[in-house]
Amino acid sequence: MNINDILSSLEARHPGESEFLQAVKEVLVSIEDVYNQHPEFEKNRIIERLVEPDRIFTFKVPWVDDRGDIQVNIGYRVQFNNAIGPYKGGLRFHASVNLSSLKFLGFEQTFKNALTTLPMGGGKGGSDFSPRGKSNAEIMRFCQAFILELWRNIGPDTDVPAGDIGVGTREIGYMYGMYKKLARENTGTFTGKGLEYGGSLVRPEATGFGALYFVNEMLKAKNIDIKGKTVAVSGFGNVAWGATLKATELGAKVVTISGPDGYIYDADGVSGEKIEYMLELRDSGNDIVAPYAEKFPNAVFHAGKKPWGEKVDIALPCAIQNELNLQDAQALIANGVTCVAEVSNMGCTAEAVDFFIEQHALFAPGKAVNAGGVATSGLEMSQNAMHIQWGAEEVDQRLHGIMKNIHGQCLKFGKDNGEYINYVKGANVAGFMKVARAMIAQGVI
């Protein structure tokens, strides 16, 4: 495999798709050695087939706002790979959504879903529509218009969308209601549904909970106790909330949260009513964290800055892709950070990841760390298929087991020479091997 040739060819076909090309390069560099040990992969052109989505749907979404004016957004669904199961991945409604970001997310989702060991392929979708500032009626009309175009191409055994940034239980409900009306069936076509109509307990917390289960396994592998450790978290939405809640339960102290306006440093720790207040901030619609410091005066708000300059034991980017850059990574290492784990998808830039690995830092990528969200979505699919609902304790127990298994796969494939565990390599190789073998078994299709 010649990585440069593959990347050059891919960039020529898809110019300007920086996030997608970054994600592909990270995987190819990680799997190069193992790929070259298996001539059957080259014979079957696995890489050339794997880096291109199976198909992409792009469509206009016209809808009417509350003033009676017609608005037009763009909708996407990237069905990336279904070698091991139906396409599975979230829908993102945000002004920043474009094809490059969705292809990157769908590509990552393919390997992440493979790591869970559940039968799910990789997909992603969304729109440049932003729910922020819109009324419930406007959001409902947009969601219905979005599904009116997409519904024929999704289904419980075909493609199962879920939530992501800008898409929560409300949006899933509107889309599922429209899908149900059009398809005339009541099936598990969406995950992240409300508990009243097929949703799973623990789903809102799952990404954050799963991340801390994984981080705890990383620390235990190094004989480090998470109790008493200080944690920097970015973001303040569902993912950051779940991570903060579970970190606190495990005995760590979360000292930062952040938003587009800056970050909060709370030396007393974000716990108890402060964790619940994170939900109030999220639901306020203002997308800022500054009010936290007004409500809890011992906390300090740092306007326009990121939390990675603080001296902490564990750093958890939980917001968006490429939020932690090389300078941030250098600051964390200089301050003696023990562990860094991407809870957001590709939360660190390529340069930051390379630096962590060069420093032999304890670092793990998003496709392993944040797999708890889609794993619990997979558990929701199973519950829907069986027409049952498990209790919260059973779902959490299954989630914990899945994350422990993912950590084990990363250890198996991530051992470099010596004692260092390269979790990036481990996650990429483990996910790739499963997908590649499934593709070979099914022929050239």
Side-chain angles (χ1 to χ4, degrees):
M1 173 174 62
N2 188 311
I3 293 175
N4 290 330
D5 286 351
I6 292 171
L7 289 173
S8 295
S9 174
L10 199 62
E11 187 168 11
R13 290 197 301 271
H14 310 289
E17 297 185 355
S18 57
E19 297 101 333
F20 174 53
L21 294 169
Q22 177 186 340
V24 172
K25 182 178 181 179
E26 181 209 278
V27 171
L28 295 190
V29 169
S30 296
I31 68 171
E32 183 177 15
D33 290 342
V34 71
Y35 185 90
N36 290 332
Q37 294 168 14
H38 292 268
E40 69 272 22
F41 292 162
E42 185 66 26
K43 180 181 178 181
N44 285 273
R45 294 291 188 268
I46 292 298
I47 289 299
E48 289 81 354
R49 293 160 56 193
L50 191 54
V51 298
E52 292 288 353
D54 290 347
R55 64 192 61 83
I56 299 172
F57 300 105
T58 306
F59 47 93
K60 65 183 177 186
V61 186
W63 57 283
V64 180
D65 66 22
D66 287 344
R67 298 186 302 273
D69 294 333
I70 298 171
Q71 305 292 334
V72 181
N73 289 94
I74 303 174
Y76 305 91
R77 186 64 179 174
V78 179
Q79 295 180 336
F80 218 102
N81 186 288
N82 67 347
I84 61 175
Y87 304 104
K88 183 80 189 78
L91 294 170
R92 177 174 292 191
F93 291 170
H94 192 271
S96 65
V97 165
N98 57 41
L99 194 53
S100 175
S101 64
L102 294 179
K103 285 171 67 177
F104 131 61
L105 291 165
F107 182 74
E108 290 275 293
Q109 198 78 46
T110 300
F111 301 104
K112 182 191 304 184
N113 292 357
L115 286 171
T116 69
T117 71
L118 299 173
M120 301 182 293
K124 207 74 178 182
S127 173
D128 58 356
F129 169 85
S130 176
R132 188 167 304 283
K134 309 293 194 304
S135 69
N136 282 337
E138 288 175 322
I139 292 169
M140 181 182 71
R141 288 194 291 271
F142 173 82
C143 288
Q144 291 173 342
F146 184 89
I147 291 302
L148 186 62
E149 181 64 34
L150 186 62
W151 74 276
R152 294 176 182 84
N153 301 300
I154 60 177
D157 297 311
T158 304
D159 184 350
V160 183
D164 195 85
I165 294 172
V167 178
T169 305
R170 173 183 57 180
E171 289 77 15
I172 291 292
Y174 291 148
M175 287 188 283
Y176 182 68
M178 190 62 169
Y179 172 83
K180 184 163 61 77
K181 183 178 181 68
L182 294 167
R184 298 188 179 184
E185 61 179 25
N186 205 324
T187 57
T189 301
F190 284 81
T191 58
K193 300 185 295 298
L195 292 175
E196 301 82 2
Y197 57 99
S200 176
L201 291 162
V202 189
R203 180 60 190 91
E205 308 96 315
T207 302
F209 277 24
L212 266 296
Y213 292 146
F214 190 94
V215 166
N216 201 27
E217 291 297 321
M218 292 174 72
L219 295 173
K220 287 196 295 185
K222 292 292 184 180
N223 295 314
I224 300 172
D225 193 341
I226 195 172
K227 290 181 180 178
K229 298 293 183 291
T230 54
V231 184
V233 166
S234 66
F236 64 99
N238 258 359
V239 174
W241 167 71
T244 301
L245 182 58
K246 183 56 65 174
T248 304
E249 288 180 5
L250 292 174
K253 181 167 74 169
V254 175
V255 294
T256 75
I257 58 173
S258 72
D261 56 330
Y263 78 92
I264 294 289
Y265 181 79
D266 188 342
D268 297 333
V270 183
S271 61
E273 66 170 319
K274 298 175 182 177
I275 297 177
E276 298 309 310
Y277 184 65
M278 289 174 68
L279 297 180
E280 292 184 36
L281 285 175
R282 181 199 65 190
D283 295 338
S284 70
N286 294 322
D287 204 24
I288 57 175
V289 294
Y292 182 103
E294 298 170 9
K295 185 172 179 65
F296 304 105
N298 286 346
V300 180
F301 173 63
H302 298 269
K305 296 182 178 180
K306 297 183 289 185
W308 313 125
E310 297 290 349
K311 183 175 176 58
V312 292
D313 301 307
I314 300 168
L316 303 177
C318 295
I320 200 165
Q321 66 261 23
N322 291 327
E323 59 177 290
L324 193 157
N325 62 29
L326 176 59
Q327 290 71 34
D328 300 324
Q330 291 169 336
L332 286 167
I333 293 295
N335 280 327
V337 72
T338 299
C339 174
V340 181
E342 291 180 316
V343 190
S344 51
N345 289 304
M346 205 164 73
C348 300
T349 64
E351 295 79 12
V353 173
D354 289 344
F355 179 75
F356 285 133
I357 293 173
E358 288 166 8
Q359 297 294 313
H360 279 196
L362 202 55
F363 171 80
K367 63 172 62 69
V369 178
N370 69 30
V374 74
T376 306
S377 286
L379 297 178
E380 181 176 332
M381 291 166 65
S382 297
Q383 293 171 78
N384 291 167
M386 293 186 287
H387 301 285
I388 61 173
Q389 187 177 66
W390 292 321
E393 185 176 344
E394 182 167 2
V395 176
D396 193 35
Q397 186 177 40
R398 289 174 183 269
L399 169 62
H400 197 167
I402 289 170
M403 299 310 298
K404 188 173 183 177
N405 179 270
I406 292 173
H407 182 264
Q409 294 177 67
C410 290
L411 287 184
K412 177 182 177 181
F413 291 103
K415 290 182 179 178
D416 280 347
N417 295 328
E419 294 295 316
Y420 183 62
I421 302 298
N422 185 335
Y423 281 91
V424 174
K425 176 183 176 182
N428 286 334
V429 172
F432 168 77
M433 292 295 286
K434 182 171 183 179
V435 176
R437 286 169 174 160
M439 290 173 69
I440 291 173
Q442 295 168 34
V444 182
I445 52 175

